Amino acid sequence: MILQKRVPKRAAAFLKGVLEGETSSQDVLVRDISVDGALLDVTSALRVFETITLVCGGSRINGIVAWSEKGRLGIEFSELLTNEALLACLAGGIKVSAPKGYRADFGRENGG
């Protein structure tokens, strides 16, 4: 059996966004994104095939819910994203920094 790789490739992401459904909206975390869809962490499940709009990095992207389970869902975009739109979404990533006084070697001096 030959397994086909998913095309196009996904870009790992850590982006804040808003998912607008047919009757509600919610803040989401975009885990990965490609030109044809995205994987999201959500607080409320949506119905499969529900029409949605993902607002991310200044872009509004229309699509449908492809699957939904256990706080995550996959969306399929109505149109392929251009490279520029994909880069604009990725440029809006969440800035993460370590707390003041963080030591990467903490606990290692005792074999931790």
Side-chain angles (χ1 to χ4, degrees), residues 26 42-47 50 68 73:
Q26 63 181 297
V42 297
T43 54
S44 300
L46 298 177
R47 295 181 331 273
E50 182 171 342
S68 178
L73 58 83

Side-chain angles (χ1 to χ4, degrees), residues 52-105:
I52 55 87
T53 299
L54 174 63
V55 181
C56 176
S59 297
R60 294 182 61 83
I61 308 161
N62 297 317
I64 62 164
V65 175
W67 60 268
S68 178
E69 67 178 42
K70 298 180 185 171
R72 289 204 168 161
L73 58 83
I75 59 173
E76 182 180 327
F77 301 142
S78 299
E79 296 180 5
L80 295 179
L81 292 183
T82 63
N83 287 337
E84 293 78 19
L86 182 58
L87 290 173
C89 284
L90 292 171
I94 299 171
K95 305 297 184 239
V96 178
S97 62
K100 192 171 187 174
Y102 171 77
R103 289 188 10 225
D105 63 344

